[in-house]
Amino acid sequence: MSEIIAFRSPLPQSDVLWAVVVRQGRQTRIADVHATEGAAKADRSWRAQQVRAYTRFLIGEDRPLPAYTIRTIRRAELPRAWRPLPALGFLRGAGF
């Protein structure tokens, strides 16, 4: 018995999306995209809360704290192999 369980819904079909953008030092990446501004704001708040929880660790590692913002983007602006970042995905390595 095989069953595929989708953990994340596919991207909305609209051309304009709301992006949660993370900036850490000089690097900027799109952390996630949403169909509505409210969903993007909720995601940004959750990601910022996760960073606050690990602030001491990040300061101890001499890493700049990430800053999350929201902006609209067109679907065509997403990189071809783009995948959402985990809340603390920037800890995976120097290149996010």
Side-chain angles (χ1 to χ4, degrees), residues 32-49:
D32 209 348
V33 294
H34 300 277
T36 65
E37 182 180 14
K41 284 181 179 181
D43 185 33
R44 179 193 60 194
S45 297
W46 177 74
R47 289 172 184 275
Q49 186 274 327

Side-chain angles (χ1 to χ4, degrees), residues 2-74:
S2 298
E3 184 178 345
I4 297 175
I5 300 173
F7 290 104
R8 177 174 168 77
S9 60
L11 289 175
Q13 293 302 314
S14 65
D15 187 43
V16 177
L17 303 168
W18 291 90
V20 178
V21 179
V22 59
R23 181 167 176 86
Q24 185 181 23
R26 293 182 178 175
Q27 292 185 327
T28 301
R29 297 254 329 250
I30 298 172
D32 209 348
V33 294
H34 300 277
T36 65
E37 182 180 14
K41 284 181 179 181
D43 185 33
R44 179 193 60 194
S45 297
W46 177 74
R47 289 172 184 275
Q49 186 274 327
Q50 295 296 307
V51 169
R52 282 191 300 275
Y54 287 91
T55 299
R56 287 184 183 214
F57 170 77
L58 294 170
I59 291 172
E61 293 290 312
D62 291 331
R63 309 247 347 228
L65 293 177
Y68 291 98
T69 58
I70 296 174
R71 69 178 178 100
T72 57
I73 62 166
R74 291 189 354 252

